[in-house]
């Protein structure tokens, strides 16, 4: 008989038997168009459904009569239905019988809807997961009650009742359960204690017994079948560990003894039953073990090893065609998604998802996978999961092997919409080929698994050859002082031993050192570059995930070596903040610093996943944002991708975006507690942040402090906030200023956001931290010294209330444009400059202080400030700008500078600023040898004499 005829004959015979059984029970075949249209295809595809309908002849009539075969399940429907059927159940045997009957009926419904194309894959997986949740949850509820009645209630040391928490792992945890899947469970309880019965048991004894009874209710294969096969081997210590473990014991295990694959398993963990509040605490406790705070590229290596072991076992068993574990199978898709989750999930909570399809979508959206690859993997996953369900629907057996007989092959092909086996195989192979290609791309080892022993420096880390051999290799590679280099490497190896570098870390270093030496040897100063790169390696020795990151992405080392040769500042930042290594992953991003709109979008994405009250992580993300973007500016600066004169523009915008966000975070926190201040001028928080000095003058440098002044718009003495806990407006703004300074200056694991200098506020250190704009205007008009008006030349709003910003602009213009007595103004400015020079100038011993020396940056700034104050009353355009370059341009346009003064001072200012930036990147004092920039310095001195002393 042909395969097609055999399939048809099988369905005809099963229908005959079913109709006979219905007749014996006094039932009739339901007259329903859905039945006639779909029964042949469903029964052809699922022998389990056909036999279940024959064994339980009332199932199909019930499903048709209730409409449940035609309609999708509502949320919580299965839980409600099972609860109703369990009413009156009082013992384990009755529980087992109801569960199995319920499972058969619901599995018939789910398989029928799946094969008849009444449900999509997502519905099928969700319904199967909801079925398991309902069975586990209701069983646990009943069994807990029965066991406490027998043995007493488990309580902690404080007397509080304790409950079991059940974690669903694997496909159940991800709500992706397949038709005949095991359910992987882990059992936990909150704390130690004992029951309050006549013969007390420890909580561990009680909950182990409860877990055993739960497994028995679900897993035992009786005459009426099983509910779900339960696998509890994913628990701590596996089969040899206790079946139920306290939260404290679990935390200790995962912190000190858990293996790498257990991180992978916990990605999909979900609380499926028990105390939900305790379950949430448990998940929060486990999250740091799964998702590391740093980029964990060691995950690739671990999963690569795991996949290699799986492949070896499949090959040994001859199971290469396994659609789950074989090449291009379901597991490879999961490995791809979960690798990115383990690497980046700690820093990007949006990747902390359990289901694989949303993960693939996120990876495509975030450009971590090519969009086409993410879509292809998603399509392959859906196809393979449908094949998996079709295989298991046939006889409710857990199988992933393709059929070998002609009838079975034709049956599978037809359920997948193909007319023959060859057509089905073509589609399947296309999907698996795409999966395998993407898997190989993601998991490809950057170097050969076995490094050739004769490769230069291959054995240097292990030291298996004599020193003379290595000295010769180093000298031939271009290292000037081979002896010092070799000693430095030995010192690094000794440090690794002292820090207890494990076998895996040592292997990684053995692979890295030859690559580092090769890259350093190709630079203009191999010895210098090597020393700087080794400092970075030394800083991450105890965090071997960073070593894995460098192995997996040699481009990072290449960029590091290039930039290390240009600037010690670069490697010093990474030594102190290794998270910045992430910035070197993509050269397109590294050398393309962002402007304001993109900076704000990036900061939005960094802060969005965090809870509103998680100030600690908000501070960390702010620091990572600023440090990463400053690093990009430095990389583009060093390689001349951006002109030197706009470096400060980039650095200033980074600071402005950070300060604006700090104000928003601090204000939101205080307004949530006390309400918005009442009766204020302006909008929003009513606070204005002024930038003075380099920030105000758009001339921020690497490592510059932020000179800030805080003003508010509240003028009424008795005004209060409008909230449940009102406080005086003055107190609100004082707390707001203090909280902003705390957020900006507190040292976290990522360091400070910025150093802040508040001494330019009215009355300096003795003055109020935050004062009203009205008070500030009065002070500037009646009390401020000349030097404070000089500082006001460079002041501008950098964050806060727009209305107040406009009013401040008016105040500033009025103050700067006042008539001044030239004979008094010039001596005041000159005297302040001399006091500053006396205290701050470090010109000595053949070195010139770029900022404070005679003919330096400060001289130009003071001349410009003097001229603005001298002439702004007659030329108000001088109050338009805060930066020196545009002020010099305005002075020239107004014909207020003699001869070539404007051009000379502008040229000198740019030259001195360039040297200042360069010295910062070289981590040298902001001084140059006395024989450098002589011409520009002399021009500045000459114009100082003419403008300030004549």
């Amino acid at each position: 008989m042909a395969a097609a005829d055999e399939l048809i004959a099988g369905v005809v015979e099963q229908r005959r038997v079913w109709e006979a059984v219905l007749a014996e029970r006094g039932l009739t075949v339901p007259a329903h168009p859905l039945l006639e249209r779909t029964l042949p295809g469903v029964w052809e595809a699922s022998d389990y459904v056909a036999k279940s309908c024959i064994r339980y002849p009332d199932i199909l009539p019930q499903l048709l009569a209730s409409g449940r075969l035609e309609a999708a399940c509502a949320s919580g429907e299965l839980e409600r239905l099972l609860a109703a059927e369990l009413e009156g159940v009082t013992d384990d045997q009755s529980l087992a019988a109801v569960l199995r009957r319920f499972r058969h009926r619901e599995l018939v419904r789910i398989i029928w809807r799946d094969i008849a194309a009444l449900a999509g894959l997502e519905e099928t997986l969700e319904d199967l997961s909801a079925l398991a949740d309902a069975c586990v949850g209701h069983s646990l509820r009943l069994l807990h009650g029965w066991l406490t009645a027998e043995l007493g209630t488990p309580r902690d040391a404080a007397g509080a009742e304790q409950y079991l928490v059940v974690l669903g792992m694997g496909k159940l945890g991800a709500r992706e359960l397949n038709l005949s899947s095991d359910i992987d469970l882990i059992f936990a309880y909150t704390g130690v204690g004992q029951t309050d019965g006549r013969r007390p048991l420890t909580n561990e004894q009680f909950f182990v017994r409860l877990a055993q009874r739960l497994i028995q209710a679900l897993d035992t294969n009786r005459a009426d079948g099983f509910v779900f096969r339960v696998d509890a081997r994913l628990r701590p210590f596996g089969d040899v560990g206790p079946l139920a473990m306290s939260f404290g014991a679990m935390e200790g295990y995962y912190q000190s003894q858990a293996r790498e694959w257990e991180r992978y398993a916990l990605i999909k963990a979900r609380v499926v039953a028990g105390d939900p509040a305790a379950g949430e605490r448990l998940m929060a406790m486990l999250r740091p073990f799964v998702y590391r705070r740093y980029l964990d590229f060691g995950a690739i290596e671990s999963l690569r090893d795991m996949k290699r072991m799986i492949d070896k076992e499949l090959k040994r068993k001859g199971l290469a065609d396994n659609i789950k574990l074989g090449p291009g199978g379901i597991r490879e898709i999961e490995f791809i998604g979960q690798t990115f989750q383990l690497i980046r999930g700690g820093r990007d909570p949006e990747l902390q998802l359990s289901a694989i399809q949303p993960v693939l979508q996120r990876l495509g959206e975030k450009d971590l996978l090519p969009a086409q690859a993410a879509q292809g993997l998603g399509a392959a996953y859906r196809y393979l999961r449908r094949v998996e369900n079709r295989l298991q629907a046939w006889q409710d057996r857990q199988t992933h092997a393709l059929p070998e007989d002609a009838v079975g092959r034709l049956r599978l092909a037809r359920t997948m919409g193909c007319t023959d086996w060859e057509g089905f195989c073509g589609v399947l192979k296309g999907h698996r080929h795409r999966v395998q290609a993407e898997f190989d791309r993601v998991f490809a080892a950057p170097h050969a698994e076995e490094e050739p022993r004769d490769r230069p420096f291959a054995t240097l880390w292990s030291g298996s050859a004599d020193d003379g051999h290595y000295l010769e290799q180093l000298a031939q590679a271009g290292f000037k002082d081979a002896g010092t280099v070799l000693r430095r490497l030995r010192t690094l190896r000794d440090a690794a031993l002292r820090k207890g570098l494990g076998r895996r870390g040592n292997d990684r270093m053995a692979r890295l050192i030859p690559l580092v030496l090769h890259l350093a040897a190709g630079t203009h100063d191999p010895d210098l570059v090597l020393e700087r790169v080794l400092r970075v390696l030394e800083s991450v020795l105890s965090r071997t995930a960073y070593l894995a990151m460098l192995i997996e992405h040699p481009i990072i080392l290449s960029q590091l070596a290039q930039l290390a040769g240009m600037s010690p500042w670069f490697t010093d930042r990474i030594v102190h903040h290794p998270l910045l290594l992430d910035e070197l992953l993509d050269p397109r991003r590294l050398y393309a610093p962002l402007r304001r709109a993109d900076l704000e979008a990036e900061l939005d994405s960094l802060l969005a996943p965090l809870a509103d009250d998680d100030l600690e992580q908000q501070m960390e993300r702010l620091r990572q944002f600023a440090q990463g973007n400053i690093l990009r500016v430095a990389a583009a600066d060093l390689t001349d991708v951006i002109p030197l004169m706009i470096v400060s523009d980039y650095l200033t915008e980074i600071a402005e975006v950070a300060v604006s966000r700090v104000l928003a975070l601090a204000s939101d926190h205080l307004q949530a507690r006390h309400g918005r201040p009442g009766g204020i001028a302006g909008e929003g928080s009513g606070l204005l942040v002024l930038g003075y000095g380099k920030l105000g003058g758009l001339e921020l440098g690497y490592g510059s402090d932020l000179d800030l002044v805080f003003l508010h718009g509240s003028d009424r003495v008795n005004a209060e906030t409008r909230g449940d806990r009102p406080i005086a407006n003055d107190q609100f703004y004082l707390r707001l200023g203090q909280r902003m300074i705390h957020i900006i200056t507190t040292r976290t694991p990522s360091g400070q956001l910025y150093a802040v200098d508040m001494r330019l506020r009215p009355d300096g250190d003795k003055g109020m931290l935050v004062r009203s704009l009205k008070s500030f205007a009065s002070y500037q008009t009646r009390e401020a010294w000349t030097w404070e008006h000089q500082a006001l030349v460079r002041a501008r709003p950098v964050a806060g209330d727009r209305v107040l910003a406009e009013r401040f602009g008016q105040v500033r213009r009025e103050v700067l444009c006042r008539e001044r007595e030239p004979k008094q103004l010039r001596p005041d400015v000159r005297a302040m400059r001399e006091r500053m020079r006396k205290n701050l100038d470090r010109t000595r011993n053949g070195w010139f202080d770029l900022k404070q020396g005679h003919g330096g940056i400060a001289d130009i700034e003071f001349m410009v400030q003097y001229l603005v104050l001298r002439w702004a009353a007659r030329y108000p355009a001088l109050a338009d700008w805060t930066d020196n370059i545009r002020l010099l341009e305005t002075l020239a346009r107004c014909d207020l500078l003699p001869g070539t003064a404007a051009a000379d001072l502008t040229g000198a200012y740019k030259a001195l600023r360039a040297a200042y930036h360069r010295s910062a990147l070289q981590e040298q004092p902001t001084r140059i040898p006395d024989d450098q920039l002589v011409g520009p310095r002399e021009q500045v001195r000459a114009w100082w004499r003419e403008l300030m002393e004549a």
Side-chain angles (χ1 to χ4, degrees):
M1 183 184 296
D5 294 336
E6 192 170 333
L7 287 174
I8 295 170
V11 171
V12 169
E13 174 59 20
Q14 285 178 320
R15 177 155 187 162
R16 184 191 65 76
V17 173
W18 175 58
E19 290 177 352
V21 171
L22 286 174
E24 288 177 9
R25 302 286 181 90
L27 301 171
T28 59
V29 176
H32 200 292
L34 177 65
L35 182 68
E36 297 305 320
R37 186 176 77 250
T38 60
L39 184 146
V42 173
W43 284 20
E44 177 183 301
S46 177
D47 186 53
Y48 166 79
V49 167
K51 288 180 175 176
S52 295
C53 290
I54 293 169
R55 184 173 184 178
Y56 306 103
D58 57 335
I59 282 182
L60 200 49
Q62 286 178 4
L63 288 172
L64 287 166
S66 65
R68 294 190 63 235
L69 198 62
E70 297 175 85
C73 257
S75 177
E77 181 177 335
L78 292 178
E79 188 176 348
R80 291 191 296 272
L81 289 170
L82 181 56
E85 297 196 20
L86 287 170
E87 286 185 12
V89 170
T90 58
D91 61 78
D92 293 47
Q93 290 300 316
S94 300
L95 171 64
V98 172
L99 289 174
R100 282 153 181 77
R101 175 66 180 243
F102 185 77
R103 189 255 188 184
H104 285 306
R105 185 187 73 206
E106 293 307 317
L107 212 56
V108 165
R109 181 188 64 82
I110 292 169
I111 294 173
W112 200 296
R113 287 181 55 78
D114 177 39
I115 294 172
L118 299 172
L121 176 68
E122 288 72 17
E123 179 189 318
T124 301
L125 303 184
E126 173 62 30
D127 280 2
L128 290 165
S129 303
L131 174 61
D133 285 0
C135 292
V136 174
H138 282 302
S139 299
L140 178 63
R141 174 178 56 82
L142 292 173
L143 290 167
H144 179 91
W146 298 341
L147 200 59
T148 55
E150 297 170 21
L151 303 175
T153 300
R155 301 186 182 277
D156 63 13
E161 186 172 358
Q162 302 290 288
Y163 297 93
L164 193 67
V165 172
V166 183
L167 294 184
M169 309 291 283
K171 290 193 170 84
L172 173 60
R175 307 194 73 90
E176 297 171 334
L177 206 62
N178 47 287
L179 282 171
S180 189
S181 178
D182 295 353
I183 56 173
D184 297 297
L185 302 180
I186 292 179
F187 304 102
Y189 55 93
T190 53
V192 296
Q194 63 181 28
T195 60
D196 59 6
R198 287 179 300 170
R199 300 179 60 184
L201 297 175
T202 66
N203 282 355
E204 180 179 336
Q205 291 172 317
F206 177 90
F207 287 118
V208 165
R209 292 190 187 185
L210 178 56
Q212 288 170 336
R213 283 179 68 172
L214 177 61
I215 292 172
Q216 185 176 23
L218 299 171
D219 184 85
T220 302
N221 197 358
R222 313 182 335 162
D224 53 356
F226 59 90
V227 186
F228 286 98
R229 291 177 293 269
V230 176
D231 190 338
R233 292 175 297 172
L234 293 180
R235 68 186 186 270
F237 301 108
D239 278 340
V240 300
L243 187 58
M245 186 178 279
S246 71
F247 285 10
M250 287 186 76
E251 183 175 27
Y253 173 82
Y254 284 114
Q255 285 183 350
S256 61
Q257 300 184 60
R259 292 151 292 180
E260 196 68 23
W261 66 262
E262 290 176 279
R263 287 183 63 205
Y264 166 79
L266 281 171
I267 286 177
K268 295 189 175 187
R270 175 175 64 89
V271 178
V272 298
D275 184 345
E280 182 53 42
R281 294 199 302 275
L282 177 61
M283 293 302 296
M285 182 189 78
L286 294 175
R287 203 166 289 122
F289 168 69
V290 182
Y291 297 109
R292 307 289 164 82
R293 294 167 66 94
Y294 47 83
L295 290 176
D296 186 9
F297 282 89
I300 291 183
E301 194 173 355
S302 299
L303 291 175
R304 188 187 290 130
D305 290 346
M306 194 187 307
K307 186 62 169 63
R308 190 182 295 117
M309 288 189 290
I310 291 171
D311 289 347
K312 185 177 180 180
E313 186 69 6
L314 289 173
K315 187 176 181 180
R316 185 181 69 81
K317 294 180 177 180
L319 299 175
D321 282 340
N322 187 294
I323 63 163
K324 177 181 179 181
L325 302 177
I330 296 167
R331 182 59 53 84
E332 287 193 354
I333 300 173
E334 293 174 335
F335 272 17
I336 291 169
Q338 289 160 347
T339 295
F340 284 100
Q341 288 182 279
L342 290 175
I343 292 171
R344 297 180 177 275
R347 293 187 65 186
D348 187 351
E350 290 185 352
L351 292 176
Q352 294 181 15
L353 305 169
S354 56
I356 189 62
Q357 292 193 82
V359 170
L360 294 173
Q361 184 177 345
R362 288 276 169 84
L363 294 175
E365 292 169 352
K366 292 174 178 289
D367 204 25
L368 295 172
L369 277 177
Q372 188 174 1
Q375 293 167 6
L377 290 172
Y381 179 79
R382 289 187 291 275
Y383 190 83
L384 290 167
R385 289 304 306 271
R386 286 177 60 224
V387 173
E388 177 185 46
N389 278 341
R390 298 294 194 271
L391 288 171
Q392 297 180 0
W394 171 236
Q395 289 185 330
D396 188 23
R397 286 180 53 242
Q398 189 178 28
T399 179
H400 295 91
L402 297 174
E404 297 181 356
D405 63 294
V407 174
R409 287 180 167 183
L410 182 60
R411 178 190 307 114
L412 178 59
R414 284 161 60 142
T415 65
M416 292 302 297
C418 298
T419 57
D420 55 37
W421 179 249
E422 289 71 22
F424 164 73
C425 283
V427 178
L428 178 64
K429 286 177 181 177
H431 283 299
R432 294 186 69 170
H433 175 76
R434 281 188 288 275
V435 171
Q436 189 172 7
E438 188 60 26
F439 181 88
D440 290 343
R441 186 189 70 80
V442 171
F443 284 89
H447 307 295
E449 294 298 327
E450 297 294 334
E451 295 286 356
R453 300 290 294 177
D454 59 349
R455 179 176 175 175
F457 314 124
T459 63
L460 200 156
W461 182 254
S462 65
S464 57
D466 62 84
D467 286 358
H469 171 73
Y470 298 129
L471 290 170
E472 182 180 352
Q473 282 190 334
L474 290 167
Q476 288 176 351
F479 291 93
K480 299 171 186 174
D481 191 343
T484 298
V485 169
L486 188 59
R487 285 192 296 274
R488 178 69 176 90
L489 291 167
R490 294 285 186 264
T491 301
L492 181 62
R493 190 179 66 182
D494 292 343
L497 291 173
R498 287 195 304 274
K499 291 182 179 181
L501 191 66
R503 180 191 60 79
R504 174 160 281 183
N506 198 62
D507 290 346
R508 289 170 179 167
M509 284 299 292
R511 295 172 64 187
L512 275 173
I513 290 300
L515 182 58
V516 169
L517 288 166
H518 172 73
L519 288 169
T523 64
H524 69 285
D525 191 342
D527 300 63
L528 177 68
V529 170
L530 177 64
E531 173 56 31
R532 290 175 179 173
V533 174
L534 290 181
R535 283 190 62 224
V536 173
L537 291 183
E538 198 166 26
S539 72
V540 298
L541 272 178
S542 59
R543 291 176 275 187
T544 58
Y546 285 116
L547 304 181
M549 178 182 182
L550 296 174
I551 289 171
E552 296 294 338
H553 294 274
I555 186 67
I556 297 176
L557 274 181
S558 177
Q559 300 300 325
L560 183 61
Q562 176 188 355
L563 294 164
M566 297 178 177
S567 166
W569 177 94
F570 209 87
T571 45
D572 186 64
R573 296 284 86 71
I574 294 174
V575 165
H576 288 98
H577 309 294
L579 279 172
L580 292 173
L581 284 169
D582 181 35
E583 299 296 337
L584 278 61
L585 271 169
D586 185 352
R588 297 168 302 174
R589 171 184 164 92
L590 176 62
Y591 299 106
L594 304 179
R595 298 315 299 251
R596 183 164 193 130
D598 292 325
L599 288 169
E600 289 174 342
E602 180 179 285
L603 187 52
D604 283 343
S605 67
L606 283 170
L607 294 176
L610 304 180
D612 291 341
D613 59 352
D614 192 353
L615 180 62
E616 180 182 351
Q617 275 304 301
Q618 289 168 346
M619 290 167 65
E620 278 291 289
R621 294 295 176 90
L622 280 163
R623 282 148 180 76
Q624 292 165 13
F625 161 79
Q627 291 164 3
N629 280 289
I630 291 170
L631 195 82
R632 285 185 233 169
V633 174
D637 181 7
L638 286 167
T639 53
D640 296 323
V641 172
I642 57 176
L644 182 68
M645 289 313 298
I646 67 167
V647 166
S648 289
D649 294 350
Y650 283 103
L651 295 175
T652 300
E653 287 185 351
I654 294 167
E656 288 180 6
V657 170
V659 171
S660 294
R661 194 57 55 94
V662 168
L663 171 57
L665 293 172
S667 178
D668 288 348
H669 169 80
L670 286 172
Q671 289 194 35
R673 298 182 66 182
H674 303 295
R676 183 174 182 267
I680 59 172
E683 56 191 23
S685 67
L687 187 85
L688 181 66
V689 182
L690 301 179
Y692 274 66
K694 291 178 181 176
L695 176 60
L698 300 163
E699 294 163 356
L700 216 58
Y702 301 106
S704 292
D705 295 352
L706 302 186
D707 294 302
L708 301 179
V709 170
F710 299 146
L711 303 178
H712 66 74
S714 177
D715 295 332
R716 288 167 42 196
V717 176
N718 298 320
E720 291 185 335
T721 60
R722 297 170 176 172
D724 294 335
R725 294 192 293 172
I727 57 175
N729 283 1
D730 286 347
Q731 188 178 8
F732 176 91
Y733 287 117
L734 174 62
R735 292 184 184 179
L736 180 55
Q738 290 170 334
R739 189 170 181 85
M740 286 185 66
I741 293 172
H742 168 76
I743 293 173
I744 295 171
T745 63
T746 299
R747 291 195 176 276
T748 72
S750 293
Q752 277 187 320
L753 183 54
Y754 289 96
V756 170
D757 190 338
M758 301 291 295
R759 291 175 296 175
L760 291 177
R761 68 186 187 269
D763 294 320
D765 282 338
K766 297 178 182 178
M768 293 181 289
L769 183 66
V770 189
R771 68 166 64 206
S772 71
L773 177 59
K774 182 177 179 181
S775 170
F776 175 84
S778 175
Y779 177 88
Q780 290 291 340
T781 303
R782 300 175 184 177
E783 302 176 54
W785 297 81
T786 299
W787 69 264
E788 291 177 286
H789 288 171
Q790 288 180 245
L792 193 62
V793 171
R794 290 162 67 78
R796 65 183 179 88
V798 295
D801 197 294
R802 284 183 242 176
V803 174
L804 285 183
E806 291 178 7
R807 290 182 55 189
F808 165 77
Q810 295 167 2
V811 170
R812 176 178 175 274
R813 181 173 294 276
E814 290 170 5
V815 172
L816 295 183
C817 293
R818 285 170 48 190
E819 286 284 355
R820 290 176 172 82
E821 174 54 54
K823 292 181 180 179
Q824 182 60 42
L825 177 63
R826 187 160 62 171
D828 286 351
V829 174
R830 192 168 59 231
M832 175 54 69
R833 177 71 190 101
E834 290 306 318
R835 282 198 297 272
M836 183 183 289
R837 195 193 318 276
K838 182 179 179 181
N839 292 326
L840 301 176
D841 187 5
R842 294 177 300 154
T843 300
R844 59 182 65 90
N845 301 326
W847 290 87
F848 173 74
D849 188 324
L850 283 163
K851 183 171 184 181
Q852 300 296 341
H854 284 281
I857 293 171
D859 282 351
I860 301 174
E861 293 173 343
F862 269 65
M863 282 188 275
V864 170
Q865 291 160 16
Y866 161 70
L867 291 166
V868 170
L869 296 178
R870 168 69 178 83
W871 294 108
R874 291 174 58 185
Y875 300 94
L878 290 169
D880 290 347
W881 310 110
T882 61
D883 62 289
N884 286 296
I885 296 297
R886 282 184 290 192
L887 285 170
L888 283 166
E889 291 172 354
T890 308
L891 287 165
R893 191 169 60 250
C894 296
D895 202 21
L896 298 173
L897 284 170
T900 60
D904 291 347
L905 292 175
T906 298
Y909 188 72
K910 289 180 177 179
L912 292 165
R913 282 267 314 281
Y916 198 87
H917 275 313
R918 288 286 180 260
S919 64
L921 287 177
Q922 295 305 319
E923 295 206 321
Q924 296 171 351
T926 51
R927 298 188 296 171
I928 57 173
D930 209 22
D931 59 354
Q932 292 183 9
L933 297 178
V934 174
R937 288 157 46 197
E938 183 52 47
Q939 287 177 326
V940 175
R941 284 195 293 265
W943 286 115
W944 177 271
R945 288 191 294 270
E946 180 167 342
L947 295 173
M948 303 302 294
E949 297 176 357

